[in-house]
Amino acid sequence: MPQVPVAQLKDHIGKELGRSAWFTIDQQRVDQFADCTGDHQFIHVDPEKAAQTPFGGTIAHGFLSLSLMPMLMGDLLVVPEGTRMGVNYGLDSLRFIQPVRVGSRVRLALTLLDAYEKNPGQWLLKARAEMEIEGSEKPAYIAETLALCIL
């Protein structure tokens, strides 16, 4: 994560921080996520049965798509200089707009919405994260995510 002087954090508010590299969602990852979570709903793990649905094939779990956020935003989110660690502080909002079909490529667009010192040496960053699906006008999801940076 790029580090910037605390005084420059405010300069990034309201600005898009960039887009991640494209990442392919494959069936193996979806199957592994199903095994980890116990969510083996056929729309995720049975290509033949899922082909008979309006999705036309298997789709990634919404929470699988969401769980990719830290990896995809790693090189985008600016954090205060001297940050020793960052922790997930939660989400203010999340909407799944459309499913991610297996085989699709996705990337994350990130915009910093707010940054403030919550406690001495602790900065709370709020960002809008939009997971784009290659070739689609609609995103997979739009989330307002919170990260706590500990200096």
Side-chain angles (χ1 to χ4, degrees):
M1 290 183 195
Q3 294 195 13
V4 299
V6 169
Q8 292 178 12
L9 266 180
K10 299 285 185 198
D11 297 340
H12 296 279
I13 294 174
K15 296 183 181 168
E16 183 176 295
L17 301 176
R19 287 178 160 76
S20 70
W22 289 107
F23 183 82
T24 302
I25 305 293
D26 61 22
Q27 190 63 54
Q28 180 181 2
R29 183 172 302 272
V30 172
D31 292 343
Q32 290 171 337
F33 191 83
D35 289 342
C36 287
T37 61
D39 181 356
H40 291 92
Q41 187 177 171
F42 78 93
I43 61 173
H44 305 302
V45 298
D46 187 337
E48 289 179 20
K49 201 171 176 183
Q52 304 306 312
T53 70
F55 303 125
T58 50
I59 59 171
H61 303 74
F63 285 114
L64 166 57
S65 299
L66 185 64
S67 73
L68 296 173
M69 187 187 302
M71 175 190 69
L72 295 173
M73 74 187 307
D75 293 333
L76 302 175
L77 184 64
V78 294
V79 299
E81 196 170 59
T83 295
R84 291 182 292 126
M85 70 175 172
V87 294
N88 178 357
Y89 201 73
L91 300 168
D92 270 355
S93 66
L94 168 65
R95 288 293 178 267
F96 292 110
I97 310 299
Q98 74 169 328
V100 176
R101 294 194 53 187
V102 169
S104 296
R105 291 188 343 146
V106 298
R107 69 180 176 183
L108 200 71
L110 195 68
T111 301
L112 186 63
L113 299 177
D114 198 8
Y116 65 92
E117 192 169 27
K118 182 171 175 50
N119 292 307
Q122 296 182 351
W123 282 79
L124 190 62
L125 308 180
K126 181 177 184 176
R128 175 190 161 114
E130 185 172 324
M131 179 172 272
E132 300 174 343
I133 305 169
E134 188 175 42
S136 177
E137 290 185 27
K138 292 182 183 177
Y141 64 74
I142 299 172
E144 288 187 0
T145 182
L146 303 169
L148 186 65
C149 299
I150 300 169
L151 280 59

